[in-house]
Amino acid sequence: MKQKVFLGAVVGLMAALSGTAAGRLETLPQTKPLEWEETDLSSRLMDGAHRFIERKIQESVAKRSQLWSRDFSSPAAYAKSVQPNRAHFETIIGAVDPRLPVRMERFGDDVHPALIAETSRYQVYQVRWPVLDGVFGHGLLVQPRRPPVASVVVLPDADQTPEQLMGLATGGKAESQAARLLAENGFELVIPTLVSRAKLQTDDKQLRSSDQTHREWIYRQAFHMGRHVIGYEVQTVMAAVDWFRQQRGQQSKVGVCGYGEGGLIAFYAAAVDPEIDVVLVSGYFDSRQKVWAEPIYRNVWGLLREFGDVEVASLVLPRPLIVEHSPAPTVLDQKGEWHTPDFASVRAEVERIESGPTFPRPVLVAAEDGKPIGPFSDRAMAAFALRLGTGELAALSGELPVDKRVSFDPALRQQRLVQEMENHVQTLVRQSDKVRDKSFLYSVMPELSDRQWSTARRHPTHSPEKFIEGAKAFRRQFWEEGMGRFDERLLPFNPRTRKVAESGKWIAYDVVLDVYPELFAWGVLVLPKDLKPGERRPVVVCQHGRNGVPRDTLDANNTAYNNFAGALAERGFITFAPHNLYRGEDRYRWLSRKANTVKATLFSFIIAQHDQLLRWLATLPNVDGERIAFYGLSYGGETAVRVPAILEKYCLSICSGDFNQWTRKVAATDEPFSFMRSIEWEMPYWNLGQTFDYAEMSYLMVPRPFMVERGHLDRVGVDSWVSYEYAKTRWLYAQLGLADRTEIEFFQGGHSINGEGTFEFLQKHLNWPSKTTPNP
């Protein structure tokens, strides 16, 4: 390769390089000139990453068919053929916990009686029903005075109450009171409360500044634990359907209908639960190709890789599906927006549904001119009732139910609902370390779980080979299911360079490499001036943190980085400072949000870029490809436990200013420094809390050296958390006879590079002499 002569030619040019303008424009041999402005590189990189992921989203529609194998020969054959897709859909919406035995609890007192309203045709009760341990459905039960013609779960929008759909409270049009219409026509109903879009009401200034709604509050913590506000609400509907079946038997008809957010939940519940006979989706159905632009609580891991609304609808088939093109609730400022979609988009999506030669096609209801209708228009409700086998619906009467409760406050019910979901997630958070131990550590080496005390002074260690082999499957899982992996080939390097800085001991170059058609990698390569022809030296990749750029690592001790890329170069190391994509505040958060839709994250890009950088560095003649280490601060420290855990070409990793009990840091609601209380809404990673915390990520480094650098005054966490998590790392290395390959250094300082014990760690494990020893 041409790159093989690269640094040999550099050495010959060193004497000619100077601080002149001509010298500053010098490019490295065997590379093209880099002509982009340095101040433009970061934004160029971000723009390219957005174009890349938007292409992947666009391509997802055509690729979904590869994940489906529908058999339309019979309803039974069809159900069997889509069952793997149904199971996966159930998993990614977080509807995974076993439900409790069903019962319906009517409750009340003298002020708020259980029977809250009645007419000549029906009675209305306030009820709750168990769903999961500590989680209940809350809402209304409507029972006709005669045997019911069918049973229906009616779902309001998130900003509506069950009482509004029954005409018991103001808000909304009378003609949209679907629950009241069905009640008057002899249907038995359960009307659940959904988690609202209202902003969190709190006196906590820090939490208030995070600008979260109730739905986002549950979404953030649940997502990291493999659960979802959507999954909790789908389970709530399924529990009500279970109760209907228990009461009425398998021969009775059960339907679900919903509007807005309730339309989403009705749709998803019918996709997951074959016990639902008919579903009406009002004000929700559309192409989901821009789901990333919708409110953040709609974010479902990898949704578009396998499911648009067409594919979700195929999980409902051959059961009847009615789609009503109604005005969607206008939702703004929820880290995403939602508006009524164009009819052409809705119609095109419905027409894409593959129903086979014999299955009934879904019904699309809209105004004659394609304009929105409803919600819960006469036409939509008539189609719904027809497919439930109940005949025509009589029009609403003038008999209004009256709420008997005195000063009923639905906000208190909402508070109970949110608190129950939060309690459920927080229990998962507290128990997660045991789950991770069982699923990873002790599944790889069951003998490690035997920690019996002994009077012997020493215990034999275990051979690391078994653990290293067993960890390979978990490394793949971490990459593909945790961080996300792009199915695209890396491009040739096409290196472009230019000189950007120089000191008495080193010279630095911007380097740009192609990665994917729209995506490149950029960083600063720092070469010691005393390089000798044929000499192969170790490389330390020095990673900046959030909102940083590569030159920050050569900062002349003006920032928290303390010039660590330059200081290491002065010790004789070659250093490379890559640019990672966590810059630009919400631009990188939106990038991560887009990536989530196709089962990717911010680190999917970063891993690909580092993979390309490592390949390129290994081609350089003065680089020892077996001695390339990683050292990162803050978000760079976060990178240090993710990228080297996956890319084994990194022979060593140092995590500075980030090592933590990550599950608690991201998802716990009771700590002031948790990301639950901050603006960092991209921090939850799907189900990471149940699979990989920092200890488990560090296990993937075994047998390579791993170190943690921690300032006592660093407010990203507390020493006790860091020590607890690192103790698990240290314990495993010790059991495998590798205790000398891991260290932690505490220092009296804050969120910064300390560069003392870590430099010694690098010199020891990269077999490089100290700065006081002459270079070999």
Side-chain angles (χ1 to χ4, degrees), residues 340-647:
T340 302
D342 294 335
F343 176 67
S345 174
V346 176
R347 180 173 58 189
E349 194 75 359
V350 171
E351 289 175 350
R352 281 205 315 115
I353 298 172
E354 185 181 357
S355 58
T358 59
F359 291 179
R361 286 202 57 78
V363 176
L364 175 59
V365 178
E368 295 300 329
D369 56 0
K371 290 183 178 178
I373 190 173
F376 300 127
S377 65
D378 289 343
R379 287 173 54 197
M381 296 305 293
F384 183 61
L386 176 64
R387 284 155 182 80
L388 281 170
T390 61
E392 294 186 6
L393 296 175
L396 276 173
S397 73
E399 187 179 12
L400 284 169
V402 178
D403 197 331
K404 298 179 181 180
R405 293 171 295 185
V406 178
S407 64
F408 169 70
D409 185 359
L412 298 177
R413 179 177 60 195
Q414 178 71 206
Q415 184 179 355
R416 288 195 299 272
L417 174 64
V418 171
Q419 190 63 58
E420 287 169 4
M421 291 185 186
E422 179 180 341
N423 290 345
H424 189 269
V425 178
Q426 294 307 304
T427 298
L428 296 174
V429 171
R430 290 190 294 272
Q431 297 174 345
S432 62
D433 59 340
K434 297 180 179 63
V435 173
R436 294 189 302 270
D437 277 349
K438 183 177 180 180
S439 65
F440 183 172
L441 187 61
Y442 302 142
S443 68
V444 173
M445 293 187 72
E447 57 269 32
L448 292 178
S449 63
D450 183 9
R451 304 189 186 189
Q452 295 180 356
W453 294 100
S454 171
T455 56
R457 295 185 62 187
R458 287 185 178 273
H459 293 271
T461 58
H462 301 273
S463 172
E465 282 72 22
K466 180 180 177 181
F467 185 87
I468 294 166
E469 182 63 30
K472 290 179 180 178
F474 289 91
R475 182 174 291 108
R476 289 193 296 271
Q477 177 190 349
F478 180 55
W479 192 349
E480 295 171 5
E481 303 297 329
M483 299 295 98
R485 184 175 187 175
F486 291 129
D487 57 345
E488 188 136 346
R489 293 174 66 93
L490 295 171
L491 294 174
F493 300 133
N494 186 26
R496 287 88 82 197
T497 66
R498 64 162 167 241
K499 179 184 172 185
V500 292
E502 185 176 6
S503 78
K505 294 187 177 181
W506 50 256
I507 187 166
Y509 293 86
D510 267 338
V511 177
V512 167
L513 306 174
D514 289 342
V515 179
Y516 298 135
E518 303 87 348
L519 183 70
F520 64 89
W522 162 48
V524 172
L525 177 68
V526 184
L527 302 172
K529 287 186 174 180
D530 61 352
L531 280 169
K532 299 177 179 64
E535 179 187 15
R536 300 173 69 84
R537 292 195 187 181
V539 178
V540 181
V541 172
C542 300
Q543 189 63 65
H544 65 74
R546 174 171 166 257
N547 278 330
V549 292
R551 291 283 291 278
D552 291 343
T553 66
L554 298 168
D555 62 359
N557 298 311
N558 292 325
T559 73
Y561 298 106
N562 289 322
N563 191 38
F564 77 125
L568 286 167
E570 290 175 1
R571 293 188 177 217
F573 293 100
I574 297 171
T575 66
F576 190 90
H579 183 58
N580 279 1
L581 281 160
Y582 30 71
R583 186 167 187 257
E585 287 302 344
D586 281 356
R587 284 220 73 199
Y588 73 81
R589 296 191 176 103
W590 283 105
L591 179 65
S592 182
R593 177 82 180 279
K594 290 176 182 178
N596 274 193
T597 68
V598 288
K599 198 178 177 184
T601 69
L602 201 62
F603 278 98
S604 304
F605 300 90
I606 293 169
I607 292 166
Q609 290 170 312
H610 279 253
D611 194 5
Q612 188 77 319
L613 290 167
L614 283 165
R615 294 169 190 268
W616 179 74
L617 286 169
T619 68
L620 307 184
N622 282 82
V623 167
D624 184 346
E626 300 300 313
R627 291 188 292 167
I628 302 179
F630 189 99
Y631 186 0
L633 171 67
S634 193
Y635 226 132
E638 183 175 336
T639 309
V641 289
R642 287 162 174 77
V643 174
I646 290 170
L647 300 180

